[in-house]
């Protein structure tokens, strides 16, 4: 992703069918090419009339949304958050690349006891999201922990560094898993190659 306006949806560094059979190619295509694209288009449209915002990075737009003109505050927060969350989600699935997650994953046993326990905690959090949102592995003053965010809120507004997230909006899994969020979460764990083994 380029650093500021005009934001552009760059191709994923892996093919849409790379996560088969865990996450199907059609879901990946729609998720990246339609859902993420819509957040990017909306964000560009919102800030187009405000040249002072054109040099702000995605993170700066999220951090500063509350200080923006009232008519675009909510829109910028939701759409910049939507872009940010999705970029991290797709990054987490880039198992052969240099993921944000890869800098932290060796420390999972230190903060969760074991990889198995981390999986259990992440799954419990992802299941606990009511409606649309994310479970997010984050880095903060206490080290690694898991939090949930509603809609397109991000952990940035809690002064936490997002490391890995699972999108539990139904568009992330409905084509393959229907309404079975738990089955999608199990497949997502296979797709992210937790221990790189
Ligand atoms: Mn999504």
């Amino acid at each position: 992703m380029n650093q500021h306006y005009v934001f552009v949806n760059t191709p994923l560094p892996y093919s849409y069918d790379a996560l088969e059979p865990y996450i199907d190619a059609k879901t990946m295509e729609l998720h990246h090419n339609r859902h993420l694209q819509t957040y990017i288009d909306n964000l560009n449209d919102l800030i187009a009339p405000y040249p002072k915002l054109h040099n702000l990075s995605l993170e700066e737009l999220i951090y500063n949304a509350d200080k923006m003109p009232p008519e675009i505050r909510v829109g910028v927060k939701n759409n910049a958050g939507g872009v940010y969350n999705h970029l991290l989600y797709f990054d987490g699935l880039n198992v052969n690349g240099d993921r944000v997650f890869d800098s932290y994953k060796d420390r999972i046993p230190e903060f969760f006891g074991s990889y198995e326990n981390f999986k259990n905690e992440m799954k419990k959090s992802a299941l606990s999201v009511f409606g649309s949102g994310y479970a997010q592995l984050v880095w903060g003053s206490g080290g690694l922990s898991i939090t949930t965010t509603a809609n397109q809120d991000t952990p940035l507004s809690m002064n936490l560094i997002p490391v890995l997230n699972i999108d539990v909006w139904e568009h992330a899994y409905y084509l393959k898993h229907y309404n079975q969020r738990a089955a999608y979460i199990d497949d997502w764990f296979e797709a992210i190659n937790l221990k790189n083994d």
Side-chain angles (χ1 to χ4, degrees):
M1 160 111 357
N2 50 318
Q3 286 303 297
H4 55 75
Y5 181 87
V6 178
F7 293 102
V8 173
N9 195 11
T10 51
L12 292 177
Y14 47 91
S15 62
Y16 288 135
D17 65 3
L19 291 317
E20 294 271 9
Y22 307 114
I23 303 176
D24 61 289
K26 195 69 190 169
T27 295
M28 289 298 293
E29 182 191 344
L30 292 171
H31 206 168
H32 177 261
N33 205 29
R34 304 278 186 94
H35 291 280
L36 173 54
Q37 186 69 55
T38 299
Y39 288 111
I40 291 171
D41 292 344
N42 288 345
L43 181 61
N44 284 329
D45 289 347
L46 278 165
I47 65 176
Y50 303 91
K52 282 183 183 164
L53 303 179
H54 290 183
N55 288 323
L56 297 188
S57 68
L58 201 52
E59 288 87 348
E60 287 168 334
L61 287 167
I62 293 168
Y63 282 128
N64 294 300
D66 290 343
K67 296 175 217 151
M68 288 177 193
E71 65 275 15
I72 61 167
R73 265 176 213 167
V74 173
V76 168
K77 177 172 168 276
N78 287 340
N79 288 288
V83 177
Y84 187 91
N85 281 328
H86 280 101
L87 292 179
L88 187 66
Y89 176 72
F90 291 124
D91 180 72
L93 296 168
N94 186 20
V95 292
N96 296 316
D98 185 19
R99 301 179 290 184
V100 175
F101 178 51
D102 293 318
S103 307
Y104 295 87
K105 70 177 180 180
D106 290 347
R107 301 191 66 179
I108 282 178
E110 181 185 337
F111 293 100
F112 293 94
S114 66
Y115 286 99
E116 206 51 39
N117 201 43
F118 163 70
K119 276 177 75 168
N120 292 337
E121 293 297 314
M122 194 76 176
K123 183 173 182 178
K124 200 164 68 180
S125 293
L127 286 172
S128 79
V129 175
F130 182 76
S132 297
Y134 296 78
Q136 310 244 11
L137 176 67
V138 293
W139 178 263
S141 55
L144 286 174
S145 63
I146 295 168
T147 189
T148 61
T149 51
N151 300 310
Q152 295 299 356
D153 292 349
T154 78
L156 293 174
S157 32
M158 300 181 251
N159 285 319
L160 296 165
I161 299 168
V163 170
L164 176 77
N165 68 26
I166 176 169
D167 185 341
V168 295
W169 285 60
E170 281 188 342
H171 67 234
Y173 61 90
Y174 202 84
L175 285 185
K176 177 179 170 66
H177 300 91
Y178 306 116
N179 60 334
Q180 304 298 316
R181 188 188 286 184
Y184 158 65
I185 296 166
D186 290 341
D187 274 350
W188 175 81
F189 273 113
E190 297 296 327
I192 64 164
N193 197 9
L194 182 58
K195 283 179 269 188
N196 238 1
D197 51 13

